[in-house]
Amino acid sequence: MSLIVQKFGGSSVANAERVFNVADIVTKTYAKGNDVVVVVSAQGDTTDDLIEKAKEINPDASKREMDMLLSSGEQISASLLAMAIEKLGYPVISLLGWQAGFQTTSAYGSARIKRVLPERIKKEIDKHRIVVVTGFQGVNRYDDMTTLGRGGSDTSAVAIAAVMHADLCQIYTDVEGVYTADPRKVPNAKKLSVISYDEMLELATLGAQVLNNRSVEMAKKYNIELEVLSSLTRVPGTIVKEATKMEKMLISGVAKDENVSRISIIGVPDRPGFAFRLFSKLAAKNINVDIILQSVGRNGTKDISFTISSDNLKEAMEILQSYVESTGANYLDYNDNIAKVSVVGAGMESHPGIASDMFEALFEANINIHMISTSEIKISVLIDREDADKAVSAIHNKFFDVE
Ligand code: ADP
Ligand code: ASP
Ligand code: MG
């Protein structure tokens, strides 16, 4: 007998028919003699709809109240799924994040899981019940509901798999696995049968929504093999696992992130300490900086540009406005109409020419590059947002359409 964790995303539980489809998958797994813990997201676009509802009342609502609201979406789907499983005649119980032992930091809206105390889940499994747990949520030390950030249910599932030492963790979604690019945007994208944690982590961080990056980080840390698969077609999906067991892929995928903005500070005095003070001001507010570009000094001044998540743009500009004036820099400017497109592949370490192929693809599509950043297993370029989809297709075709 095995312990299996199965996570179902919003589209997998979007309506009554889909809820019964999930109940069928879960109960078939249970009927084979397995213990099953199910993690669910809110139905369909519920989380987006709740955010819109909040905006109608108060666009500046506190993060605490937002979490109180958003956590309700998962409560609905968990209870409905439990009801469907009851109807099929199987023993089941649904639990909220706090009942399932999800203790988090107090950062409303982007809480991190500190620990999962699975006593209640274990007790219910001992009673031979299927346990349905709300994804995306936990409780902080003030006994308040918290949420883990968008897409956080994947992380809830991996955390349960880790703490329960599950034999298998399946992430059911609306595509058949992890593809070489978003299959909804790039029709000739290919499904990968297997991908390493490191490559999946890069793809997820660089915008491939199919798995939340924190879930991949956690899976790697606790060595939990994941299977990403469709709840609708029931064919084998993509396995995410440690790289040592497989060949390195030259390129595993192309990803796009449209939620980025660029800030530039022009005419900064060319003296030591500026970059340190600038970035420590952002770090103090937990604002993550991504690509950084500094020009060569000339005439005693230099320029610094960097990218951040668009979610942080307003706050970052407020922080920097007065600081930049006090330093004597010429001016501060931003561009929130950009996108980051990246290629990821563990094999590029030992294959020169990947960057030039990528740049050639962009040149052939007449797309201008604003910034470039590289690591051992990825190359990212910053381009105009209107070019993003075209860029993904052009780069994807360059690497994958070799007949
Ligand atoms: P869920 O609600 O199940 O969590 P998400 O919408 O969060 O599902 O993630 C699935 C979506 O991720 C797919 O519908 C697909 O459009 C998108 N996606 C982006 N990049 C990729 C990729 N490389 N492989 C598969 N899906 C991707
Ligand atoms: N319902 C949450 C969201 O839409 C969490 C998730 O789906 O993973 O972001
Ligand atoms: Mg998701």
Side-chain angles (χ1 to χ4, degrees):
M1 192 168 72
S2 301
L3 172 67
I4 300 180
V5 174
Q6 296 181 322
K7 179 258 167 178
F8 296 90
S11 48
S12 298
V13 289
N15 53 41
E17 189 194 335
R18 295 272 174 98
V19 169
F20 273 108
N21 173 57
V22 168
D24 184 55
I25 296 174
V26 169
T27 52
K28 283 205 167 99
T29 309
Y30 177 86
K32 283 184 190 151
N34 300 299
D35 292 331
V36 189
V37 181
V38 184
V39 174
V40 281
S41 296
Q43 289 185 288
D45 297 327
T46 301
T47 308
D48 291 326
D49 295 345
L50 290 172
I51 291 171
E52 287 310 311
K53 267 194 209 303
K55 281 189 188 150
E56 281 171 24
I57 304 282
N58 178 2
D60 296 316
S62 65
K63 288 183 174 171
R64 182 204 182 270
E65 295 309 328
M66 284 305 291
D67 276 5
M68 190 70 179
L69 178 68
L70 297 191
S71 54
S72 68
E74 272 67 12
Q75 179 164 358
I76 294 172
S77 50
S79 51
L80 291 178
L81 176 60
M83 291 174 197
I85 294 172
E86 275 178 353
K87 196 161 176 188
L88 297 182
Y90 289 85
V92 62
I93 185 165
S94 66
L95 299 175
L96 292 171
W98 68 268
Q99 293 173 303
F102 275 83
Q103 298 188 352
T104 73
T105 61
S106 48
Y108 301 107
S110 56
R112 288 190 161 261
I113 299 168
K114 286 207 287 197
R115 63 189 77 81
V116 181
L117 304 174
E119 278 63 37
R120 178 71 188 272
I121 297 180
K122 284 184 180 156
K123 234 185 255 173
E124 301 299 343
I125 284 181
D126 287 344
K127 291 181 193 160
H128 304 291
R129 288 176 170 156
I130 295 167
V131 183
V132 182
V133 179
T134 52
F136 181 52
Q137 56 168 257
V139 63
N140 67 15
R141 64 194 171 108
Y142 308 111
D143 284 345
D144 284 339
M145 303 285 267
T146 53
T147 65
L148 307 178
R150 299 304 305 268
S153 298
D154 297 333
T155 313
S156 310
V158 177
I160 291 183
V163 73
M164 300 283 295
H165 306 288
D167 299 285
L168 183 60
C169 182
Q170 293 179 313
I171 309 287
Y172 285 89
T173 183
D174 56 2
V175 289
E176 289 184 3
V178 180
Y179 284 71
T180 50
D182 185 343
R184 294 188 192 286
K185 295 276 169 60
V186 180
N188 58 348
K190 294 173 178 57
K191 186 169 98 184
L192 303 168
S193 56
V194 54
I195 183 169
S196 70
Y197 292 127
D198 288 337
E199 288 168 295
M200 191 62 237
L201 183 56
E202 287 286 3
L203 280 179
T205 306
L206 294 167
Q209 195 192 343
V210 61
L211 279 178
N212 179 279
N213 59 350
R214 274 159 60 186
S215 73
V216 184
E217 216 168 57
M218 192 178 287
K220 177 178 159 80
K221 183 168 170 192
Y222 295 100
N223 203 20
I224 309 288
E225 256 183 45
L226 306 179
E227 183 182 10
V228 179
L229 68 173
S230 165
S231 59
L232 296 170
T233 61
R234 309 201 188 186
V235 297
T238 301
I239 303 290
V240 186
K241 65 177 190 180
E242 196 51 69
T244 49
K245 300 166 203 157
M246 63 206 207
E247 250 179 65
K248 282 186 182 176
M249 273 179 290
L250 185 55
I251 300 294
S252 55
V254 184
K256 171 188 79 167
D257 185 355
E258 297 193 332
N259 195 33
V260 286
S261 294
R262 184 227 356 109
I263 294 182
S264 295
I265 305 164
I266 310 297
V268 176
D270 196 8
R271 288 193 300 269
F274 184 84
F276 156 63
R277 278 189 282 273
L278 173 73
F279 293 120
S280 54
K281 287 203 180 306
L282 296 173
K285 293 284 179 187
N286 263 329
I287 296 178
N288 225 358
V289 173
D290 182 24
I291 306 177
I292 302 175
L293 192 78
Q294 179 177 299
S295 70
V296 177
R298 117 189 73 77
N299 302 329
T301 67
K302 61 192 174 193
D303 308 333
I304 295 185
S305 298
F306 55 90
T307 62
I308 55 174
S309 159
S310 296
D311 303 336
N312 299 131
L313 179 63
K314 192 163 166 261
E315 196 182 358
M317 287 298 284
E318 281 165 10
I319 295 168
L320 295 179
Q321 211 92 49
S322 57
Y323 172 65
V324 164
E325 277 165 27
S326 73
T327 63
N330 286 353
Y331 65 94
L332 176 69
D333 118 316
Y334 72 90
N335 183 348
D336 60 354
N337 217 351
I338 53 171
K340 183 168 67 172
V341 172
S342 312
V343 289
V344 172
M348 69 170 71
E349 265 179 297
S350 50
H351 280 78
I354 303 292
S356 72
D357 285 351
M358 181 184 186
F359 302 154
E360 184 180 34
L362 292 168
F363 163 67
E364 285 163 355
N366 199 23
I367 294 169
N368 193 32
I369 302 171
H370 301 308
M371 287 163 97
I372 299 170
S373 115
T374 64
S375 79
E376 281 169 1
I377 67 165
K378 67 123 205 242
I379 304 165
S380 301
V381 294
L382 210 65
I383 57 172
D384 289 338
R385 196 168 296 168
E386 63 184 27
D387 290 334
D389 286 332
K390 194 165 79 167
V392 171
S393 292
I395 296 167
H396 187 269
N397 287 346
K398 178 69 93 192
F399 289 110
F400 294 102
D401 241 17
V402 278
E403 293 301 319

